[in-house]
Amino acid sequence: QVQLIESGGGLVQPGGSLRLSCAASGRSFSSYAMGWFRQAPGKEREFVAGISRSGGNTLYGDSVKGRFTMSRDNANNLVYLAMNSLKPADTAVYYCAAAPDFWLEEIAPRGPDYVYWGQGTQVTVSS
């Protein structure tokens, strides 16, 4: 079992940057593909980014491609989401999630692939 705790959210002006972190408990962190999702009020949950178990492969949602970068540190059980050129449309609660049963270089692209979820961190982009 994995417990996930996100941090790093907050209020930022349009065009600004934030870096979200997700700390995972447990000794098998590297056995999970990881992902970031977000949900804005009144909207469905959206896939933001995913990373393979090794960290060698990443996948991004169309709305964040070229602005967000996901990475992981398997030695310290951490996952990051670097967010640049933020827009008001990026305002949402951001969730870290872990998906078991994926190959080393495979990315989990769908919400139902993920078994463990964090509690979320709020990101607000506003002037």
Side-chain angles (χ1 to χ4, degrees):
Q1 189 169 354
V2 176
Q3 291 186 327
L4 303 170
I5 301 176
E6 302 96 335
S7 61
L11 174 64
V12 62
Q13 291 187 341
S17 299
L18 278 177
R19 189 177 80 156
L20 304 183
S21 299
C22 174
S25 66
R27 295 179 293 174
S28 302
F29 176 69
S30 61
S31 66
Y32 295 93
M34 299 296 296
W36 285 98
F37 291 78
R38 67 186 183 187
Q39 189 165 21
K43 294 189 176 182
E44 293 188 352
R45 183 179 62 194
E46 177 187 10
F47 173 81
V48 175
I51 193 166
S52 61
R53 289 167 50 199
S54 71
N57 288 327
T58 53
L59 179 69
Y60 298 94
D62 288 341
S63 61
V64 307
K65 204 171 294 183
R67 299 188 298 122
F68 290 12
T69 302
M70 185 175 184
S71 59
R72 67 188 296 165
D73 177 354
N74 284 343
N76 292 296
N77 289 12
L78 290 166
V79 171
Y80 302 102
L81 184 67
M83 305 185 295
N84 297 313
S85 302
L86 283 162
K87 307 173 182 179
D90 295 317
T91 295
V93 178
Y94 283 71
Y95 298 92
C96 173
D101 304 325
F102 279 81
W103 296 103
L104 185 63
E105 299 298 344
E106 194 175 12
I107 296 167
R110 304 175 306 127
D113 294 329
Y114 293 83
V115 174
Y116 303 106
W117 294 79
Q119 83 290 349
T121 186
Q122 176 71 46
V123 172
T124 302
V125 184
S126 175
S127 55

